């Protein structure tokens, strides 16, 4: 990917073909079942299987890992198209790749990669990342879950919460951050450990009753004397927190792409509704107040897209991208929330009905300002990168 695409607005053919194929899938496969899964709080296994068959879970991974040989920007383009129609589906893919498979790819041993990645990149299995705890959210350094070595095994005790893709029938493992000792000066040594699903003592608690993302799988997890082999350490001991920050930096670009899709989906639905809805003998699109409101929505989506394109271009070129990723996440998540509010208002009473996509976007979009780094965290990162 070249940064010149940002200036020309032209993507190479292989990216354009990907966008078209995912958009067609979103329209023909995701959209018809999204409302039903959302209302019933059910995980869309048939949709996930379809995404797996398309290779979407393997987009940014090399072919020798079972991937498609693409890049992270390709994943972002797919997420944008899916999120226009259904955020629950998009976050299932985003978390499955950036939080599930990516840590294994980035930091795993060859044995770990060979064991886990083929199924994860094919979408036949998904994985979660257990970072957040009841007392450790934005302050991940407050991690209380512990892991100690005993007879060649890690013994894990603790709890995690808000963990995506952690309790489905195809969940294969969860990567867990845990305190494995202390550094000089008394600071916590935090490492990451792979815990396969079904390991004795590893309990997936009942799913959350959430405001939105109803067909995305999210659970609290508990670990009571969970034993896994010492070889399940992911990456270097004591580098768990640092490695996770790298994963989060990348993931913010993906979340920004998802949020951009949500923002654009609100625009598209509002344009359609404004053309069709007739009041006082004419379409409401003829009202300048409505037209200007939609114009502002379009401007927000455009700005969000430019921001995540820029962050992705920096990342793929090997340049520092932390600030750009934080800006993209900040701008895109706020665009999604603002556009969802405006789209609901444009739809009037229909916007309050869950049968309409804008109602789901209104319920779904708030978490985009919280998950994978709150708005306040993004502002803190941007300020630091600016030298403050």
């Amino acid at each position: 990917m070249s940064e010149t695409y940002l200036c020309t607005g032209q993507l190479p053919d292989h990216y354009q073909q990907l966008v078209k194929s995912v958009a067609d899938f979103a329209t023909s496969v995701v959209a018809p079942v999204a409302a039903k899964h959302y209302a019933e709080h059910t995980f869309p296994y048939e949709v996930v299987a379809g995404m797996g068959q398309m290779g979407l879970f393997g987009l940014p991974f090399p072919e020798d890992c079972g991937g498609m040989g693409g890049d992270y920007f390709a994943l972002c383009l797919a997420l944008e198209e899916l999120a226009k129609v259904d955020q629950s589906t998009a976050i299932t893919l985003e978390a499955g790749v950036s939080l599930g498979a990516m840590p294994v790819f980035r930091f795993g041993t060859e044995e770990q990669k060979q064991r886990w990645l083929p199924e994860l990149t094919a979408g036949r299995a998904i994985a979660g990342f257990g970072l957040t705890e009841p007392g450790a959210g934005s302050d991940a350094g407050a991690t209380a879950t512990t892991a100690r070595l005993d007879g060649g095994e890690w013994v894990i005790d603790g709890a995690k919460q808000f963990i995506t893709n952690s309790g489905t029938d195809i969940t294969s493992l969860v990567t867990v951050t845990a305190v494995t000792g202390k550094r000089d000066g008394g600071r916590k040594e935090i490492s990451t450990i792979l815990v396969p699903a079904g390991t004795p003592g590893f309990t997936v608690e009942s799913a959350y009753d959430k405001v939105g993302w109803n067909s995305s799988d999210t659970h609290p997890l508990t670990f009571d004397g969970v034993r896994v082999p010492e070889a399940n350490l992911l990456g270097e001991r004591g580098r768990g927190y640092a490695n996770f920050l790298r994963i989060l930096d990348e993931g913010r670009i993906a979340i920004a792409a998802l949020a951009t899709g949500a923002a654009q989906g609100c625009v598209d639905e509002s344009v359609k509704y404004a053309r069709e809805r007739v009041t006082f003998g004419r379409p409401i699109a003829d009202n300048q107040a409505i037209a200007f409101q939609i114009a502002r929505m379009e401007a927000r989506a455009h700005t969000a897209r430019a921001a995540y394109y820029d962050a992705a271009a920096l990342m793929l070129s090997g340049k520092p991208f932390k600030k750009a990723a934080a800006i993209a996440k900040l701008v895109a998540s706020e665009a999604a929330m603002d556009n969802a509010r405006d789209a609901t208002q444009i739809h009037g009473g229909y916007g309050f009905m869950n049968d309409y996509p804008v109602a789901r976007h209104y319920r779904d979009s708030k978490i985009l300002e919280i998950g994978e780094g709150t708005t306040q965290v993004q502002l803190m990162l941007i300020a630091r990168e600016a030298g403050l």
Side-chain angles (χ1 to χ4, degrees):
M1 178 188 177
S2 168
E3 294 176 63
T4 58
Y5 302 151
L6 293 174
C7 300
T8 64
Q10 297 177 348
L11 295 175
D13 287 344
H14 66 285
Y15 286 136
Q16 293 187 37
Q17 291 170 8
L18 172 66
V19 168
K20 184 180 184 305
S21 65
V22 178
D24 290 345
F25 177 82
T27 301
S28 62
V29 177
V30 180
V33 300
K36 181 175 185 295
H37 281 298
Y38 200 91
E40 297 177 356
H41 293 235
T42 51
F43 188 75
Y45 287 101
E46 75 282 16
V47 173
V48 172
M51 291 193 293
Q53 291 166 6
M54 289 180 66
L56 300 189
F57 285 92
L59 277 174
F61 301 106
E63 294 179 5
D64 60 6
C65 293
M68 299 295 290
D71 55 33
Y72 210 84
F73 183 61
L75 170 67
C76 290
L77 291 174
L79 290 170
E80 181 181 348
E81 293 305 313
L82 291 170
K84 290 178 183 178
V85 172
D86 181 48
Q87 290 188 45
S88 291
T89 297
I91 195 58
T92 297
L93 175 62
E94 192 278 336
V97 174
S98 70
L99 298 179
M102 192 59 72
V104 179
F105 174 71
R106 292 284 186 216
F107 311 117
T109 64
E110 285 304 313
E111 182 179 353
Q112 288 169 342
K113 292 177 183 179
Q114 291 174 15
R115 177 181 178 185
W116 299 109
L117 285 181
E119 292 296 295
L120 294 176
T121 57
R124 293 187 292 268
I126 54 177
F129 199 109
L131 173 76
T132 303
E133 298 183 2
S138 297
D139 181 14
T143 298
T145 297
T146 61
R148 58 182 175 84
L149 283 173
D150 179 52
E153 294 180 317
W154 291 106
V155 183
I156 306 170
D157 292 281
K160 300 291 180 179
Q161 65 180 10
F162 310 143
I163 310 305
T164 305
N165 292 345
S166 58
T168 74
D169 293 343
I170 59 172
T171 298
S172 60
L173 78 153
V174 174
T175 302
V176 178
T177 55
V179 178
T180 52
K182 288 189 176 182
R183 298 181 179 276
D184 294 341
R187 291 185 300 115
K188 293 178 180 178
E189 173 192 85
I190 298 177
S191 305
T192 47
I193 301 171
L194 302 175
V195 181
T199 301
F202 171 26
T203 302
V204 178
E205 306 292 350
S206 298
Y208 291 103
D209 184 10
K210 297 173 292 188
V211 171
W213 284 3
N214 286 348
S215 50
S216 166
D217 178 79
T218 320
H219 296 262
L221 311 174
T222 57
F223 303 86
D224 185 8
V226 173
R227 287 180 171 268
V228 298
E230 184 176 356
N232 279 29
L233 178 72
L234 181 64
E236 182 182 343
R237 178 170 176 168
R239 292 285 300 171
Y241 186 50
N243 289 346
F244 182 74
L245 291 180
R246 160 76 184 274
I247 293 297
L248 268 186
D249 284 341
E250 296 177 356
R252 285 176 181 131
I253 304 175
I255 288 291
L258 190 160
T260 299
Q264 187 65 56
C266 288
V267 174
D268 297 345
E269 291 296 324
S270 295
V271 168
K272 177 182 176 183
Y273 184 80
R275 288 172 173 170
E276 295 174 349
R277 175 63 169 154
V278 175
T279 61
F280 302 102
R282 60 178 184 172
I284 64 172
D286 290 349
N287 298 324
Q288 193 175 69
I290 297 294
F292 281 9
Q293 191 171 24
I294 295 175
R296 288 189 180 278
M297 293 167 62
E298 176 70 12
R300 292 186 196 120
H302 177 87
T303 302
R305 184 175 300 107
Y308 96 71
Y309 273 36
D310 178 53
L314 291 172
M315 173 188 167
L316 295 181
S317 64
K319 298 177 182 178
F321 65 93
K322 181 185 288 288
K323 181 173 72 172
I327 290 172
K329 206 273 187 179
L330 173 71
V331 170
S333 61
E334 291 186 342
M337 191 69 243
D338 289 344
N339 278 13
R341 183 187 61 249
D342 287 352
T344 300
Q345 191 71 24
I346 289 168
H347 279 69
Y350 293 108
F352 204 62
M353 301 297 111
N354 282 324
D355 289 343
Y356 281 74
V358 296
R360 297 200 301 275
H361 279 308
Y362 188 79
R363 294 176 63 177
D364 290 344
S365 293
K366 182 57 192 175
I367 191 59
L368 294 169
E369 297 182 313
I370 299 171
E372 293 203 35
T374 64
T375 294
Q376 290 72 25
V377 167
Q378 306 315 310
L379 291 170
M380 178 185 68
L381 291 172
I382 295 166
R384 284 179 180 174
E385 292 295 311
L388 299 176

